[in-house]
Amino acid sequence: METSRRHANNFDFLRLSAALVIIISHAYALQIGYGAIPGNSPAVLVGQAALAGLFVISGYLIPQSWMTQPDVKRFFWKRSLRVFPALVPALIFTFLLVGPLATTLPLVDYFMTLLSPFTLASFGSVWNGSALGLFQSNPVTFVNASLWTIPVEFVMYILVALLGVAGLLRRKDVLLALIAADFAIWMAVYWDPGLAKVRFTLYFLIGAYLAVHHRGRRYDPATAGVLAVALVAASPTPFALFLALVAVPYIVLAVAHLGVPALNRFGNRGDFSYGVYIYAYPIQQMIVLYLGTSMPLWLFSGLSVLLTFPLAYASWHLVEKKALALKQMGFGEEASPLTTGQNP
């Protein structure tokens, strides 16, 4: 049953595709620096659309997991198994292998700073390498800026659980009110590049709304194509960010439900998207550090994928798959409850 459910959609394909697109977007940004990026850069916009797509997928799958097994302990056990077992080795790899090769500090000072209580308690050290002397000659000094989404994602998990416990997750008016409130917050911080990232939680909420209240909806591929063309046409304008709130969820769910056997079976060998996502950024920073910023974008992106994918492959087979096999530990031996079969 788990296999047949997994073959009913293309979420594995979409997740890995989005992670690879984000690699390309980051390759462009890391070569020139965030401050030099034009606001309507196609490479950045397509990366933001890919990230938005990941939030839509998560928002679509996670509430279904809760509704099928509405148990707080089980819910957070599964969420934790999906996030942390793979994240811990990625952080160890970054700070114990990449860090000593990238720091400008003497190794003794590097490890003393790394192991200080302040650094260990600060998740900010993951994306700001200045305190550890990391990537100081690169156009961008972040260590792994991709990881900013993980605490945000976990906050959305908490929100789903709270709504579920309160019996509000199936309330259409509640989800619509949350979407409206989130949109209002985004408008209030629209001009702040950092705070404006709150818009990505909108995609999670929209995905959740569609999963709870329109799960049986059919998404027309032709309509998705029209929305994609409209989104590309609007990309030079600020209107694109607003159109994307409609276009990205529709396109993602239309592609997810295409009856294409090759896409349905895409995840047979494993779901490598999370590993790609959490390992790529420090690998790309190392490429910039040692090979410079003059490589063509296609070469930088290709080399990034070539060096990242073995780590993602190992992460899935050695860590993630084994961790996910423990989802029902202590909860009986029943099959995985999620009807989509996507190990959310």
Side-chain angles (χ1 to χ4, degrees), residues 167-184:
L168 300 175
L169 186 58
R170 297 178 186 270
R171 289 275 301 271
K172 181 181 292 189
D173 57 335
V174 171
L175 284 178
L176 289 175
L178 286 172
I179 291 171
D182 203 350
F183 184 84

Side-chain angles (χ1 to χ4, degrees), residues 86-110:
L87 179 62
V88 170
L91 293 176
I92 292 172
F93 168 82
T94 299
F95 290 110
L96 297 188
L97 294 179
V98 170
L101 297 175
T103 185
T104 56
L105 299 177
L107 286 183
V108 173
D109 293 344
Y110 170 79

